[in-house]
Amino acid sequence: MPDMSASANLALTHLVPLAKEVDENKVTPGILGFIVFAVMAVAVWGLMKSMTKHMRKVDFKESPDPKADPGTTVADSKS
């Protein structure tokens, strides 16, 4: 595995000077970043609204199984 660490070390020595050349004050997400973030926020809001609508339609009360014997319970059938 010495080749892996040597290649990682070589990659880091080449990438670190590139990172130092970037001016931190000039790097911004820009208008494209804002548009992407806004579209994702609207998509999440729409998905949450849709999920809430579908969850309100769910009936959480379980109806009895017509095929089951009236004397047996769910716990009896599992054991």
Side-chain angles (χ1 to χ4, degrees):
M1 289 299 221
D3 293 331
M4 182 77 138
S5 62
S7 62
N9 189 16
L10 183 62
L12 284 176
T13 57
H14 288 303
L15 290 177
V16 169
L18 292 175
K20 289 181 181 177
E21 292 176 7
V22 175
D23 186 10
E24 293 177 5
N25 296 327
K26 293 183 180 179
V27 177
T28 63
I31 190 72
L32 180 63
F34 175 75
I35 291 171
V36 169
F37 182 78
V39 167
M40 288 175 57
V42 169
V44 168
W45 176 77
L47 286 171
M48 292 295 291
K49 189 171 179 176
S50 174
M51 184 184 71
T52 303
K53 179 180 162 184
H54 286 285
M55 289 299 287
R56 287 187 180 152
K57 292 180 182 180
V58 174
D59 182 20
F60 290 104
K61 294 182 181 178
E62 187 175 344
S63 60
D65 189 9
K67 299 176 191 173
D69 295 332
T72 60
T73 62
V74 175
D76 292 339
S77 63
K78 287 185 179 179
S79 55

